[in-house]
Amino acid sequence: MSGQAQGRQCLCERLGPAFSDKEKRKGGEDHSAYLGGRGMRRFPSPRGIINTIVKLAKTCILRLTVCKLYFILSDKVANGGASMWCELSQGNFFDEFQMEGVAAEHNEIYLEFVPENLWRALKTAQSAKAVKIKLTNKHCPCLRVAVELPSLSSCSRIVTHDIPVGVIPRRMWNDFREPSMPDFDVSIYLPVLKTMKSVVERMKNLSNFIVIEANLSGEMNLKIETDLVSVTTHFKDLGNPPWASEDGCQSSGQGRDLESMAEACIDIKKLQQLLAGQQVNPTKALCNIVHKRIVHFILLHEEVSLQYFIPAIA
């Protein structure tokens, strides 16, 4: 399966009941766009989500639509890079939201930016009365974050941050579509993430690589093996998500031996970055393993979903 619509069907519908002013870009194509948002809500903390992304990507793509915001990292998995797809509903973060893309039939905006810059700007907004974010283009394209702070006088105190962004031309939009759902061998719920983080941090001191293996009996092992040491941490009774196929039938590992392990050896630093930085505080966390090819992590918190793909090392 591929494409945005099919990808969303895979993640949301196949997971079963267990989850319930116009600006122009300088030069090149005409990329008129308007973005305005005011009054950031705290469900969950936008800064926490950005902090998670900071740990995973030095630069990323922000895709804006009328209803959704997406943070995208699309390193080529085939070349050993991890990829990320974080999706959230703007209605849970803004009291007001207006945007206008390049055209009515292409009502989207794609921006490339450094997430740490946005995190620093939102850090000043912890006690803000209101936060307004707008796409501007005075000297170069910027996301302007205006933070209205409490004041003892009748005058408003407003702190403004201009975050440089690059506007992605429409001809490149297809490079940043939602990754297709891998045809996994095993899907399993993750253990408590704090526990998993603690285990991985200790293992990171012993090896650069970690093997994740799991089966359809709810068992998962984290292993490192070197010439000097072999360490395995066992988790049991984690449970397996009831994925459904397009026709509504259960499809996770159909016909597979329940005790048979699927495994992948991955870069332990990439896994540690995900666990150490995550502030999504998911209500559900799981991973899909394609044997010796890729590990696909999914963190869900109501209207926020984070997918992270780590390729296996041969």
Side-chain angles (χ1 to χ4, degrees), residues 259-270:
E259 303 297 326
S260 177
M261 289 286 184
E263 68 173 46
C265 179
I266 61 174
D267 186 332
I268 197 169
K269 289 183 180 179
K270 288 184 171 64

Side-chain angles (χ1 to χ4, degrees), residues 2-28:
S2 61
Q4 179 194 0
Q6 291 171 313
R8 290 306 303 155
Q9 191 274 338
C10 284
L11 183 57
C12 293
E13 296 177 16
R14 286 184 58 203
L15 205 42
F19 289 89
S20 289
D21 329 349
K22 296 185 179 180
E23 310 289 352
K24 286 191 177 181
R25 182 174 181 259
K26 290 187 177 181

Side-chain angles (χ1 to χ4, degrees), residues 298-313:
I298 302 174
L299 309 182
L300 296 178
H301 180 111
E302 299 190 28
E303 294 299 320
V304 178
S305 67
L306 173 68
Q307 300 182 63
Y308 193 57
F309 300 79
I310 305 178
I313 296 168

Side-chain angles (χ1 to χ4, degrees), residues 34-39 63-69 88-100 107 109 133:
Y34 171 79
L35 166 67
R38 180 178 176 84
R63 175 189 172 202
L64 299 132
T65 67
V66 173
C67 298
K68 301 275 189 176
L69 284 75
L88 42 134
S89 172
Q90 61 82 8
N92 287 317
F93 293 88
F94 293 97
D95 293 318
E96 301 173 22
F97 186 88
Q98 298 176 338
M99 68 149 285
E100 186 175 332
N107 195 16
I109 304 172
I133 300 177

Side-chain angles (χ1 to χ4, degrees), residues 110-127:
Y110 286 72
L111 306 171
E112 184 176 22
F113 76 109
V114 176
E116 185 174 3
N117 292 338
L118 181 56
W119 178 80
R120 291 181 185 277
L122 293 178
K123 190 176 181 180
T124 65
Q126 295 182 59
S127 59

Side-chain angles (χ1 to χ4, degrees), residues 272-312:
Q272 191 267 339
Q273 287 171 347
L274 173 66
L275 297 173
Q278 89 77 22
Q279 292 187 20
V280 175
N281 298 320
T283 54
K284 295 291 181 183
L286 60 122
C287 77
N288 302 326
I289 301 175
V290 182
H291 186 61
K292 294 189 175 181
R293 286 185 54 202
I294 196 169
V295 181
H296 172 209
F297 295 93
I298 302 174
L299 309 182
L300 296 178
H301 180 111
E302 299 190 28
E303 294 299 320
V304 178
S305 67
L306 173 68
Q307 300 182 63
Y308 193 57
F309 300 79
I310 305 178

